[in-house]
Structures are given as C-alpha cells and as structure tokens.
Amino acid sequence: MITLKNVSKWYGHFQVLNECSTQVNKGEVVVVCGPSGSGKSTLIKTVNALEPIQQGSIEVNGIQLNDKKTNLAQLRAKVGMVFQHFELFPHLSIVENLTLAQIKVLQRNKEAAREKGLKLLSRVGLAVHAGKFPGQLSGGQQQRVAIARALCMDPVAMLFDEPTSALDPEMINEVLDVMVELAHEGMTMMVVTHEMGFARKVANRVIFMDEGRIVEDTRKEDFFANPRSERAKDFLAKIL
Ligand code: ADP
Ligand code: MG
C-alpha cells in the first residue's frame, strides 16, 4: 500500500530524512517512534505529499508521488491524516466539518455527505454532538471528530501524527480505542506515537527513527523484546 525507497529530504542544508526505506502492506499497522526531532512527522507528511522530497521515491496505492502527472489533491483525499492538534474548522459545526471535503473534493451531494458524516460520527460515539461547534467539545471528542472526518473520505490508508499527545490523560484512551477498532477492521495505518500500549496491542511493526534515519524496522515482538540499536534501548528505557 505504501512504499518508500531511499527517501531523503533537506530543509535548506539540514538533512531531515536520510535514505529512509520501508513498506506498509494493506491492513498493516506500523507504529513510528523515536526521539523528538528525529524526523517522524516529516516522514509521514511525505507519504501524504504534504512535504516534498529531494531524493528517492514514494508510492501510495499504486500511485507514484514524485511523478509530475500525479494529482496530489486526489491522493491526499485518499490518505487520511490526523494531527496532534485536531485542526477542525472552528467556525463550522461538527457535521459541517465532516461534510466539507466530501462535497468540495469528492463532489458528493449534500445529503449523501451528511448521511456519511453522521454515520461516522456515531461510529466514534458522538452522534449527539453533530450540531455543536468544535470549541464546545473536549479535546478527546474533537480528535475523534477529526478521525471521523478523515474516514468520511473512504481513505485507503490513515496517517496519525501523535494524535493523543496534546490530550489530557483521561482522554487518551477514548481516542486510542477508536484507533484500535480501526486497526481491527483492517485499516492500513502509519501511527507516530509514544503510546507503547497501543503499539503492543495492534502494531504489526515498529519503526524507530533517529536523526532522520530508520534505525529499526521490525516486528513489534522483536522491537520490545530485543531492540538492536543502543538508541532504541535508551528510548525504550525512558518511556516504558
Ligand atoms: P519529529 O516529528 O520526530 O519530532 P520532525 O519531523 O518534526 O521531527 O522534525 C525533524 C527535524 O526537522 C527537526 O530538527 C526540526 O527542527 C526540523 N524541521 C521540521 N520542520 C522544519 C521546517 N519546516 N523547516 C526547517 N526545519 C524543520
Ligand atoms: Mg513530530
């Protein structure tokens, strides 16, 4: 579903990604972890073409991202992205947040978009809040809306960038529960997170990044039981 080959990226003279290669198969859940500044956010943004790369290649769902003919807007519509800060439109109601891109990007009619939005809203347990505005919901609820909004686009894969790290502790699980359910339903997911409980529960593989490199890319059992690099050992010792 997602293939990265020798991906390198620079911000000016600073190399943020260094020859990153990996593959995420359909239905796989891959957790990306590593120290702050190691390039995790940049890596998953490249998968959604939100950040251009200077070397290497990325293919998503059979589409070559670096091909000039590729319609990036269409690609982004098919790859859901959920950020640390929910980035809902504050001046739109919850249901409007859920329907906007369906109408504008997928050209769905208003009724179909609304029906889909409400269906996904109830799936994340928030049907009763359809008419409210984002500011009236808790952080955990807003993040669940953000997930529902991404799912409204019928994504082929979902990317998450530290979806729970801006949340109060008591709200983390309600968001992780939705993600666990998605994983069990077979969604292809790349998840940047330090929630190792989530990784243990649903990840197939763990990628560990350090200074722009993919230092480990292994089955989760091996990552937790037997991290190869010193950096990963240090990292695990600090967060577990
Ligand atoms: P992580 O998500 O692992 O914390 P990031 O991908 O956000 O790491 O950032 C990796 C490195 O790239 C950091 O050193 C960061 O300061 C730098 N960086 C990120 N975004 C930019 C940018 N737009 N311009 C310049 N440097 C950036
Ligand atoms: Mg980050």
Side-chain angles (χ1 to χ4, degrees), residues 153-218:
M153 306 299 278
D154 297 319
V156 296
M158 288 280 287
L159 310 174
F160 294 84
D161 191 2
E162 302 205 34
T164 60
S165 50
L167 298 176
D168 291 334
E170 73 269 20
M171 294 171 188
I172 291 175
N173 280 329
E174 67 187 61
V175 172
L176 290 178
D177 287 348
V178 169
M179 293 167 61
V180 167
E181 212 178 287
L182 261 185
H184 286 156
E185 285 165 15
M187 178 61 78
T188 307
M189 295 162 67
M190 273 184 101
V191 184
V192 177
T193 185
H194 292 163
E195 293 290 337
M196 291 298 132
F198 173 81
R200 280 181 196 276
K201 216 185 269 179
V202 296
N204 300 101
R205 294 204 329 271
V206 177
I207 287 176
F208 178 77
M209 291 190 71
D210 190 35
E211 295 182 351
R213 292 176 195 271
I214 293 179
V215 179
E216 308 217 18
D217 183 352
T218 55

Side-chain angles (χ1 to χ4, degrees), residues 88-105:
L88 300 174
F89 298 111
H91 59 291
L92 296 182
S93 70
I94 299 304
V95 71
E96 286 166 343
N97 264 283
L98 293 169
T99 54
L100 186 68
Q102 293 188 66
I103 295 166
K104 294 257 187 255
V105 181

Side-chain angles (χ1 to χ4, degrees), residues 100-115:
L100 186 68
Q102 293 188 66
I103 295 166
K104 294 257 187 255
V105 181
L106 302 183
Q107 269 89 45
R108 282 193 184 133
N109 72 48
K110 246 181 142 173
E111 253 332 290
R114 189 184 159 80
E115 198 175 307

Side-chain angles (χ1 to χ4, degrees), residues 115-143:
E115 198 175 307
K116 179 107 185 164
L118 291 175
K119 191 171 121 202
L120 283 159
L121 197 58
S122 65
R123 182 162 149 196
V124 298
L126 296 171
V128 297
H129 300 295
K132 291 189 180 164
F133 287 86
Q136 296 173 288
L137 301 189
S138 73
Q141 290 172 327
Q142 289 186 56
Q143 192 60 301

Side-chain angles (χ1 to χ4, degrees), residues 9-12 14-17 33-45 51 161-162 192 194 209 212:
K9 175 179 175 68
W10 287 260
Y11 288 121
F14 174 68
Q15 184 165 11
V16 58
L17 297 177
C33 62
S36 178
S38 56
K40 306 178 297 293
S41 295
T42 306
L43 184 80
I44 68 162
K45 279 189 203 150
E51 288 285 357
D161 191 2
E162 302 205 34
V192 177
H194 292 163
M209 291 190 71

